[in-house]
Amino acid sequence: MGKGRVMMSQHIRETELVTLKTIAETLNASNDLEHMLSAVLKELLQVSGLTTGWIFLIDEVGQYQFVTSHNLPPALVWEDFRPMCVGGCWCLDKYWDGRLHHAVNIMSCKRLEDATKKDWGDTHGITHHASVPIWAGDEKFGILNVAAPGKKRFHDDELTLLQSVAFQIGTAVKRVQLYHAQQKRADTYAQLDHVSRVIWNVSDIKELPAQVVQSVGDTFFWPVVALFLYREQKLYLETLYAEEKVQSIGVGLKVDQWQTVSEAFIEQRMIEKEEEPGRLTALLPPYKSSISLPLAIPGVEPFGVLMIATTERYVFDNAEKKGLQALADHIRLALQNAKLAQKQRELIVTAERNRLSRDLHDSVNQKLFSLLLTAQGAKSILPAEEPELEEALTDMQGMAREALEEMRSLIWELRPSSLEEDLGTALQMYGEHLGLEVNLEVAGSRCLTRAVEEGLWKIGQEALNNVVKHAHVQQVHIRLDMSGVDTICLRIRDGGNGFDYHPSFSEKGSYGLSNMRERSKLLGGTLVISGKKGEGTTITVEVPNHSGVAADT
């Protein structure tokens, strides 16, 4: 009798070893997780004499996924496996509570009980099952469940075998996850290379924000990508990629009012969160999970945040986080490079303007001055009996003087003092150069973008030229208001001849007025002309001070 038990025990042991060997070979045959688990489950049921089994995989945040099954009864297959995919059960409760440490007998199956109560179909006599945690080392990955009709209890040796199989499955799941993580990392860096090539080829800094979100969204297939840029003590939602389209938003808020984005910007670290109510929810499409990455150069003031969001609940793994951090580094460098390139181009243009102004001053300007002196000298020695010649020389003097004044104005325009002085002082100096008495009033203090500064400088020049040409007065009032939150207002008023201006007034033929209006539109602002004949004219222009990507500091 004792010898028979020993032989039976040896036979069982040999069967277990053969089973484990067969399953190990199956697990090592593929990196397709679903196909691998399906094959292993079928093999396990065949060698163990059981009839039914299914596997749940459970992620880091506790979400379970019904991965595979074999020979489920009709009650659990109802409506495309709905009983297996919706709701909880007692084995999952044990797993989530941390009470499922090893293979155990589950007294009954809640899913089968629910199926019986709701008459979803035949259960094939299955009422109980064994549940085994799938694990490897300190990590758990899910649950293996097996059952057979009429079987209400599993023996210890059966549970031991199931535990060994579950451990093998866990080890294989870990291996496949590492393989896919490595593959995903390689794909991520290939995609990163593509995005970096796209954004580094953009030379216009105004186009770069749109290109950033477009290339990131299209390449990585993230449903929502938002770029926030910092300027004037605010964070601006500059561009947004959603539904495979790019939108220019331009909404700015105080640094601490963007929730997750603000946290990433202020703390200068990657922030991962789920959807939260507030400003972001109002401006962005609905999302479930997000990750925000600060854009900053060490030792330099931070200048933005890249936010990526998903429409489903999602956990960004370590490989994705490393890839996204590398992506953020590329974006910040591309933005900084484009900004420096823009400044370099502006400096080149300024240097060329200065060269031209010097050449005009040293050549044409001097020749005009010599012509004026020559005409004056010729008049002084002209005989009194030559009135026609004297009149011609007088006209020559007048034309030379006018040409000289126009040349000086041209030199001023080529070399705008706005690049050397503040805008208000530059306009005052220009007005005084034209022979006007300028009453300057400046309200507030603001760092103007170069586009706004030069645009207002050109508009102010044109307005002051018009005062000299048409108003026929010596005094002009200039008010530069920079106290507004987002707008700059320049007002130039004279008490001269004026004219009756109405909104329907045609500016055709008036190059100066149409030019001022066109410049204000290019800056995203408005220009208003008001006045009456004999009561002077007022030019008022209001423009936003965020036409560029970032203010020059």
Side-chain angles (χ1 to χ4, degrees):
M1 188 72 173
K3 185 177 180 181
R5 286 199 187 96
V6 171
M7 292 180 63
M8 182 178 294
S9 176
Q10 289 178 346
H11 175 71
I12 292 173
R13 181 58 180 163
E14 289 174 0
T15 302
E16 289 180 354
L17 291 175
V18 170
T19 299
L20 293 174
K21 177 178 178 296
T22 303
I23 288 175
E25 291 173 348
T26 303
L27 288 170
N28 289 319
S30 172
N31 285 320
D32 184 332
L33 191 59
E34 187 173 340
H35 174 76
M36 177 186 73
L37 294 179
S38 179
V40 166
L41 183 59
K42 184 176 180 180
E43 187 72 32
L44 173 63
L45 295 176
Q46 184 176 350
V47 299
S48 65
L50 300 171
T51 61
T52 302
W54 60 94
I55 294 176
F56 294 120
L57 289 184
I58 304 170
D59 62 24
E60 298 174 0
V61 295
Q63 296 292 313
Y64 77 89
Q65 179 186 4
F66 173 60
V67 180
T68 189
S69 65
H70 182 72
N71 199 28
L72 285 180
L76 298 181
V77 181
W78 180 75
E79 284 197 356
D80 195 23
F81 298 94
R82 182 181 173 188
M84 306 300 293
C85 301
V86 178
C89 60
W90 292 312
C91 61
L92 285 174
D93 290 343
K94 282 180 175 289
Y95 181 95
W96 287 325
D97 292 345
R99 292 177 290 144
L100 190 61
H101 300 292
H102 49 79
V104 297
N105 285 291
I106 298 298
M107 296 184 62
S108 60
C109 177
K110 183 178 183 297
R111 296 182 191 276
L112 286 168
E113 287 186 4
D114 290 343
T116 301
K117 290 177 183 177
K118 298 176 182 178
D119 195 23
W120 286 341
D122 190 1
T123 64
H124 285 177
I126 298 175
T127 57
H128 296 67
H129 62 76
S131 289
V132 193
I134 298 172
W135 58 281
D138 296 330
E139 294 184 78
K140 293 198 298 182
F141 302 101
I143 302 175
L144 166 67
N145 291 322
V146 291
K151 190 174 182 66
K152 295 185 177 182
R153 183 170 181 80
F154 291 77
H155 298 295
D156 290 344
D157 54 349
E158 291 177 308
L159 295 176
T160 300
L161 174 62
L162 292 174
Q163 187 70 64
S164 299
V165 171
F167 175 75
Q168 283 189 319
I169 293 174
T171 303
V173 170
K174 179 66 174 178
R175 174 182 60 79
V176 171
Q177 286 184 348
L178 290 173
Y179 169 80
H180 286 306
Q182 184 177 9
Q183 189 67 41
K184 189 174 184 179
R185 189 178 298 110
D187 292 341
T188 296
Y189 281 96
Q191 293 168 322
L192 175 61
D193 179 68
H194 172 73
V195 171
S196 64
R197 289 175 185 271
V198 171
I199 62 179
W200 279 96
N201 283 330
V202 179
S203 58
D204 189 344
I205 193 169
K206 293 181 181 179
E207 296 178 3
L208 191 55
Q211 284 289 345
V212 165
V213 296
Q214 177 88 57
S215 57
V216 172
D218 287 345
T219 304
F220 289 92
F221 304 107
W222 296 117
V224 179
V225 182
L227 181 63
F228 295 79
L229 295 177
Y230 176 70
R231 58 176 180 270
E232 301 170 10
Q233 310 301 314
K234 287 186 178 182
L235 266 178
Y236 283 83
L237 173 53
E238 200 73 29
T239 51
L240 171 66
Y241 174 91
E243 297 180 352
E244 300 182 2
K245 295 180 181 178
V246 176
Q247 304 174 51
S248 295
I249 306 299
V251 174
L253 294 174
K254 291 181 180 178
V255 170
D256 60 353
Q257 292 182 335
W258 283 114
Q259 299 153 282
T260 299
V261 173
S262 296
E263 190 175 347
F265 182 82
I266 294 170
E267 299 182 12
Q268 283 298 291
R269 65 183 180 91
M270 185 185 302
I271 302 292
E272 183 179 0
K273 281 193 177 180
E274 295 181 13
E275 179 186 16
E276 51 188 338
R279 298 282 187 177
L280 287 173
T281 306
L283 290 171
L284 271 58
Y287 65 92
K288 296 296 184 182
S289 300
S290 71
I291 189 166
S292 297
L293 303 107
L295 304 174
I297 297 175
V300 179
E301 186 177 50
F303 58 87
V305 174
L306 177 70
M307 178 185 180
I308 292 169
T310 62
T311 52
E312 301 294 333
R313 193 178 180 193
Y314 188 82
V315 177
F316 295 85
D317 59 35
N318 289 331
E320 286 174 318
K321 290 179 180 178
K322 289 180 179 179
L324 288 172
Q325 187 59 64
L327 175 64
D329 291 341
H330 276 280
I331 291 171
R332 67 173 174 78
L333 288 173
L335 285 166
Q336 187 71 7
N337 182 69
K339 188 176 179 181
L340 292 174
Q342 183 187 43
K343 287 186 176 181
Q344 184 180 24
R345 288 192 297 270
E346 291 171 350
L347 290 173
I348 291 172
V349 171
T350 301
E352 182 63 15
R353 284 179 171 179
N354 291 341
R355 185 191 68 79
L356 286 173
S357 67
R358 286 194 302 269
D359 290 348
L360 289 172
H361 179 272
D362 295 341
S363 58
V364 181
N365 195 60
Q366 295 301 325
K367 289 178 181 178
L368 287 172
F369 186 70
S370 296
L371 179 61
L372 179 62
L373 293 178
T374 300
Q376 184 176 346
K379 279 181 63 177
S380 66
I381 62 175
L382 187 69
E385 62 271 11
E386 297 288 347
E388 289 110 359
L389 188 54
E390 182 179 4
E391 184 179 354
L393 289 172
T394 301
D395 291 341
M396 185 184 296
Q397 274 186 290
M399 287 188 289
R401 188 175 289 107
E402 288 180 7
L404 190 60
E405 289 298 320
E406 290 181 4
M407 181 55 64
R408 288 173 178 170
S409 295
L410 179 60
I411 291 172
W412 269 79
E413 291 186 12
L414 282 173
R415 189 177 184 180
S417 297
S418 60
L419 298 179
E420 302 168 2
E421 307 285 347
D422 64 86
L423 179 59
T425 302
L427 289 172
Q428 183 179 34
M429 291 172 62
Y430 184 75
E432 291 172 350
H433 167 76
L434 295 177
L436 297 172
E437 295 179 15
V438 180
N439 180 7
L440 174 65
E441 180 184 357
V442 178
S445 177
R446 182 69 61 83
C447 176
L448 304 182
T449 65
R450 189 171 295 276
V452 168
E453 187 178 44
E454 290 195 357
L456 291 177
W457 161 254
K458 294 291 186 182
I459 292 171
Q461 274 188 312
E462 187 64 45
L464 292 172
N465 287 336
N466 287 341
V467 172
V468 174
K469 292 178 182 178
H470 307 296
H472 298 149
V473 291
Q474 296 297 310
Q475 292 186 334
V476 64
H477 182 86
I478 300 176
R479 175 177 171 80
L480 179 61
D481 189 349
M482 298 184 289
S483 60
V485 176
D486 297 312
T487 59
I488 307 298
C489 179
L490 173 65
R491 180 175 289 111
I492 298 178
R493 175 172 51 84
D494 68 74
N497 294 335
F499 65 105
D500 293 325
Y501 185 89
H502 301 284
S504 60
F505 179 83
S506 175
E507 294 175 2
K508 186 176 181 181
S510 176
Y511 177 77
L513 293 179
S514 61
N515 188 37
M516 285 192 291
R517 194 174 299 282
E518 182 179 345
R519 288 187 183 278
S520 65
K521 285 183 179 179
L522 288 175
L523 295 172
T526 59
L527 184 136
V528 176
I529 302 171
S530 60
K532 290 184 179 181
K533 195 168 184 179
E535 297 182 9
T537 305
T538 301
I539 304 291
T540 304
V541 57
E542 286 192 9
V543 298
N545 189 34
H546 54 80
S547 56
V549 170
D552 293 317
T553 56

